[in-house]
Amino acid sequence: MSFQVFGLPVSRGVAIGRAVLVASSRVDVAHYFIDETQVDAEIERLRAARDEVADELGNLKRDLPADAPGELSALLDVHLLLLHDETLADATKQWIQERHYNAEWALSAQLEVIARQFDDMEDEYLRERKADLEQVVERLLRALARASSGGHVPAPGVGPRDFAGEDPLVLVANDIAPADMLQFKRSVFTGFITDVGGKTSHTAIVARSMDIPAVVGAREASHIIRQDDWVVIDGDSGIVVVDPSPLLLEEYRFRQRQSGLERDRLARLRHTPAVTLDGERVELQANIELPVDAPAALEAGAVGVGLFRSEFLFMNRNGELPGEEEQFEAYRSAVEAMKGLPVTIRTVDIGADKPLDRMSSAELRHEHALNPALGLRAIRWSLSEPGMFRQQLRAILRAGAFGKVRLLIPMVAHLSEVRMTLEAIARAKQQLADAGRPHANVEVGAMIEVPAAALALPALLPHFDFVSVGTNDLIQYTLAIDRADEAVAHLYDPWHPAVLQLIARTIECARAAGKGVSVCGEMAGDPAFTELLLAMGLRSFSMHPSQIAAVKQRVLRADTRRLAPHLSAILSSENPEGACVTFFAKTGAPE
């Protein structure tokens, strides 16, 4: 029976496919695709884990004391029966053989299927056996983890399976960590659905960077959607349709075709210079997470990288942080891939919704803080880890010898932190000079994402060469809204007058001081804000490569001389969004 699930639209378009559930578990489960040649080895891993658990359960039963209740022995017998049950064993192998899931993922997927069968049973005793099944699967998962010596890292060059000719797939989960999103970034999924998250949560941001439809904050989606259900993701309205009727399915497929035609039309603008009707040249740069994203930025027509989120180099590493050499090679790779265009590298922005899997005692305390978004994160974390910070600074400075590199400091708020940061940069330069290593004197910029920084900008500007407005956090901190919390996501409002006034103030102040200013948050890539940001005087935008063409189209149709006179009225309006539509429609810019 068809039904709908409602969430927040975060990445536009329509996706149609079969649901792939990433089930939550009390045991951490790795989810990755294996290569065709690895299928037999993965099934052998599963068999070895089953044999180990069978021995474990057999030993437990043998070692029961003579006076142990008979129910304990019977319970262990039940667990042994479930362990060898064909519904679990054979079907798990099938997930590996047909979908090329790793063994842990295959087990989790089959547990989800069987658990729902237990839930549908009328007999209470049988329903309660679901807990026994979960315990058996957890034993298997622990055995697989032990055999993998702390976790699996896919071998270089082993990519996701090619599902050409098979049904398209959409990913459904309670949540997806930013690091896990990178594992899926070049995978087979055509869309994402999560129970939690907001419009600027990192799941949403990465989904937009992948240019695939996504809905977040869908509450119980992962509990009511079943494995292999046909699902439609309407990324424009935030609606998920499960088991759609043939008529509805055809309507959405028509919309898919229309979206494809629109993309093709916009793609023709990729190499057209972004110049307004009145001759104002506008920089449209790209946000990237990893060096391998740089070619896509060039292909999309970006004139540089306005934000390289270096923290993604630090994730999914089983506790081992990247050293100076590894970071240097990554940064140099991105710089060389951009072929002389500027690359702005942000120092590691760890904390809040981007935790590391290696944590110090201070970080562990922070992880359990009441509000980690206000705790040890971004530049605060870097300054608390001076050894790590100097390694990163040296790597970035060395990469600057291979092209135009700029250094961006996140979450600037206090002059004391600014001075400590600049001292760390000076020490890193001196260390490189003493070692005779080539490096560059790079420009240093501040991210304006805390209201205090926007308000105190005149005092900060003398210490920096440029500023970049991170609208995602600026909105979050201005409105006291956790941007990853779906319970308050409806209050996250980029059109709020206070937010717009802070952005306008920042742009005006930076331009008056002769300092470069850009916007690198999600507002930069949203065409609804293009004319307003141009009216504020912004001439440098940075966004996901997939968004460049749509924003460029708005730039090419804009006349900044006709936009600017309306700025004051819009900023003082009770409804800035409506005022933009009213005033900018008169300029000839598209509504």
Side-chain angles (χ1 to χ4, degrees):
M1 181 180 71
S2 180
F3 64 91
Q4 295 181 340
V5 180
F6 299 90
L8 299 171
V10 295
S11 187
R12 297 174 65 84
V14 173
I16 302 171
R18 289 195 178 275
V20 173
L21 268 69
V22 176
S24 58
S25 170
R26 284 171 283 181
V27 176
D28 288 337
V29 176
H31 296 84
Y32 56 89
F33 291 101
I34 60 171
D35 189 76
E36 178 76 39
T37 60
Q38 297 174 303
V39 169
D40 290 341
E42 202 68 11
I43 292 175
E44 176 58 26
R45 283 184 68 223
L46 184 65
R47 186 201 61 76
R50 187 190 61 193
D51 291 347
E52 180 181 332
V53 172
D55 290 342
E56 186 179 290
L57 292 172
N59 291 336
L60 284 172
K61 184 177 179 182
R62 187 184 64 245
D63 295 339
L64 283 175
D67 57 349
E71 290 83 359
L72 284 179
S73 178
L75 180 61
L76 291 172
D77 285 337
V78 169
H79 282 203
L80 280 165
L81 285 171
L82 290 170
L83 179 67
H84 294 288
D85 186 84
E86 292 182 359
T87 308
L88 178 64
D90 292 350
T92 302
K93 290 180 186 176
Q94 194 171 355
W95 288 113
I96 296 172
Q97 292 167 333
E98 295 184 2
R99 285 283 179 84
H100 287 200
Y101 292 174
N102 64 303
E104 292 89 344
W105 190 355
L107 268 172
S108 298
Q110 188 57 20
L111 171 61
E112 181 75 19
V113 171
I114 302 176
R116 295 197 179 189
Q117 293 173 358
F118 275 107
D119 289 337
D120 292 338
M121 292 178 179
E122 294 183 5
D123 186 282
E124 183 178 355
Y125 173 82
L126 291 176
R127 281 202 309 272
E128 290 177 353
R129 300 285 66 76
K130 182 176 80 168
D132 296 316
L133 176 67
E134 290 172 340
Q135 291 169 14
V136 168
V137 170
E138 285 191 16
R139 284 184 181 274
L140 284 166
L141 290 171
R142 290 193 181 98
L144 286 166
R146 287 193 295 271
S148 299
S149 301
H152 175 95
V153 178
V158 177
R161 180 187 178 194
D162 179 8
F163 279 85
E166 298 187 8
D167 294 333
L169 306 177
V170 298
L171 189 68
V172 185
N174 175 258
D175 194 15
I176 308 171
D180 292 333
M181 283 293 292
L182 290 181
Q183 296 286 354
F184 296 129
K185 192 165 184 178
R186 290 166 185 82
S187 70
V188 297
F189 299 112
T190 60
F192 291 88
I193 305 165
T194 62
D195 298 343
V196 302
K199 288 190 175 184
T200 54
S201 63
H202 283 273
T203 300
I205 290 171
V206 177
R208 278 192 290 273
S209 76
M210 296 165 66
D211 195 23
I212 62 174
V215 171
V216 303
R219 302 295 177 127
E220 298 296 315
S222 68
H223 298 286
I224 59 179
I225 298 174
R226 298 172 183 262
Q227 289 280 7
D228 274 349
D229 276 350
W230 275 102
V231 172
V232 172
I233 299 175
D234 186 338
D236 298 314
S237 62
I239 296 174
V240 175
V241 183
V242 183
D243 192 20
S245 67
L247 186 62
L248 191 60
L249 195 59
E250 184 52 41
E251 180 181 333
Y252 275 111
R253 282 178 173 150
F254 174 77
R255 284 180 53 185
Q256 270 188 322
R257 293 192 291 272
Q258 293 298 106
S259 295
L261 292 173
E262 175 65 11
R263 274 199 194 89
D264 292 342
R265 188 179 67 80
L266 287 175
R268 300 190 193 109
L269 299 175
R270 69 166 64 98
H271 299 305
T272 302
V275 181
T276 64
L277 292 174
D278 56 319
E280 288 287 317
R281 184 169 292 275
V282 178
E283 288 184 341
L284 299 182
Q285 301 190 85
N287 297 344
I288 67 173
E289 281 84 39
L290 294 170
V292 293
D293 299 330
L298 278 179
E299 178 64 21
V303 296
V305 170
L307 177 63
F308 182 157
R309 296 185 174 98
S310 67
E311 56 271 13
F312 286 92
L313 295 174
F314 288 67
M315 296 178 175
N316 264 14
R317 301 181 58 89
N318 298 316
E320 294 296 325
L321 298 186
E324 179 181 334
E325 288 303 316
E326 182 180 346
Q327 290 188 64
F328 163 65
E329 291 297 338
Y331 303 143
R332 184 180 70 173
S333 174
V335 170
E336 291 179 338
M338 291 306 295
K339 300 179 180 178
L341 295 174
V343 176
T344 302
I345 303 173
R346 181 175 70 186
T347 60
V348 60
D349 187 7
I350 287 298
D353 57 350
K354 292 177 290 183
L356 290 181
D357 46 8
R358 180 200 70 83
M359 292 187 176
S360 65
S361 58
E363 292 169 305
L364 286 170
R365 289 195 299 273
H366 165 68
E367 181 71 5
H368 298 288
L370 291 177
N371 194 337
L374 301 179
L376 190 67
R377 58 166 301 194
I379 189 58
R380 301 171 183 177
W381 184 80
S382 292
L383 291 173
S384 75
E385 296 276 351
M388 178 285 302
F389 193 33
R390 282 195 296 273
Q391 280 189 343
Q392 180 171 41
L393 292 174
R394 289 195 299 265
I396 294 172
L397 292 169
R398 289 171 59 194
F402 294 85
K404 186 176 181 181
V405 170
R406 305 199 305 171
L407 179 63
L408 185 58
I409 309 300
M411 206 175 175
V412 169
H414 299 273
L415 273 174
S416 59
E417 292 175 331
V418 172
R419 294 189 184 100
M420 292 171 66
T421 300
L422 295 177
E423 288 170 5
I425 295 171
R427 282 196 299 273
K429 287 181 180 178
Q430 188 60 53
Q431 289 171 344
L432 291 172
D434 292 344
R437 290 193 155 185
H439 63 284
N441 288 315
V442 303
E443 290 185 349
V444 180
M447 280 198 78
I448 306 303
E449 48 193 340
V450 178
L455 295 172
L457 194 56
L460 297 174
L461 279 174
H463 301 280
F464 293 101
D465 300 300
F466 67 97
V467 295
S468 186
V469 183
T471 55
N472 304 345
D473 272 335
L474 184 62
I475 298 167
Q476 169 174 252
Y477 292 130
T478 301
L479 303 181
I481 298 297
D482 184 347
R483 60 192 177 102
D485 186 350
E486 77 279 4
V488 292
H490 62 288
L491 298 174
Y492 185 94
D493 182 13
W495 288 102
H496 194 287
V499 172
L500 298 181
Q501 288 167 23
L502 285 173
I503 295 171
R505 174 192 174 95
T506 300
I507 295 171
E508 180 184 16
C509 189
R511 284 169 62 94
K515 300 294 177 77
V517 56
S518 67
V519 171
C520 63
E522 289 299 296
M523 285 174 66
D526 187 342
F529 291 95
T530 302
E531 288 86 9
L532 178 58
L533 292 172
L534 289 171
M536 290 178 181
L538 186 71
R539 298 295 181 266
S540 180
F541 298 64
S542 189
M543 66 203 73
H544 293 295
S546 63
Q547 298 164 308
I548 289 176
V551 171
K552 183 181 288 187
Q553 179 178 253
R554 305 289 285 237
V555 169
L556 294 172
R557 296 178 180 180
D559 185 334
T560 61
R561 293 172 303 184
R562 300 175 66 184
L563 296 174
H566 299 296
L567 180 62
S568 179
I570 291 169
L571 294 180
S572 60
S573 171
E574 292 183 358
N575 179 15
E577 184 176 9
C580 276
V581 173
T582 299
F583 290 128
F584 293 160
K586 297 176 183 177
T587 70
E591 296 184 27

